[in-house]
Amino acid sequence: MLRAVVGDAGHPDPERVARALVVLRDGAMVGGSLDAPRAIRATLREAAESLLRS
């Protein structure tokens, strides 16, 4: 499903981006329990935006 959303948004490599977004999400889940949730949220957003621009 995420791959389809990324593809529909016009990204040229939706499979790679979808996989990376899932890894980011998983890391954010762990990071949120170890660090300040606001810091993790900001980092996740920055990383996801960067990835989507790639």
Side-chain angles (χ1 to χ4, degrees), residues 2 6 11 16-18 20-25 28 40-54:
L2 187 55
V6 174
H11 198 282
R16 177 185 64 84
V17 171
L21 287 171
V22 169
V23 169
L24 286 172
R25 190 255 350 242
I40 297 300
R41 182 173 45 239
T43 302
L44 175 61
R45 176 180 221 132
E46 182 180 311
E49 288 174 351
S50 176
L51 180 63
L52 290 170
R53 285 190 303 267
S54 69

Side-chain angles (χ1 to χ4, degrees), residues 2-38:
L2 187 55
R3 181 176 37 135
V5 171
V6 174
D8 289 348
H11 198 282
D13 193 356
E15 178 127 0
R16 177 185 64 84
V17 171
R19 269 195 318 268
L21 287 171
V22 169
V23 169
L24 286 172
R25 190 255 350 242
D26 291 349
M29 296 296 290
V30 172
S33 68
L34 300 174
D35 202 353
R38 284 188 180 167

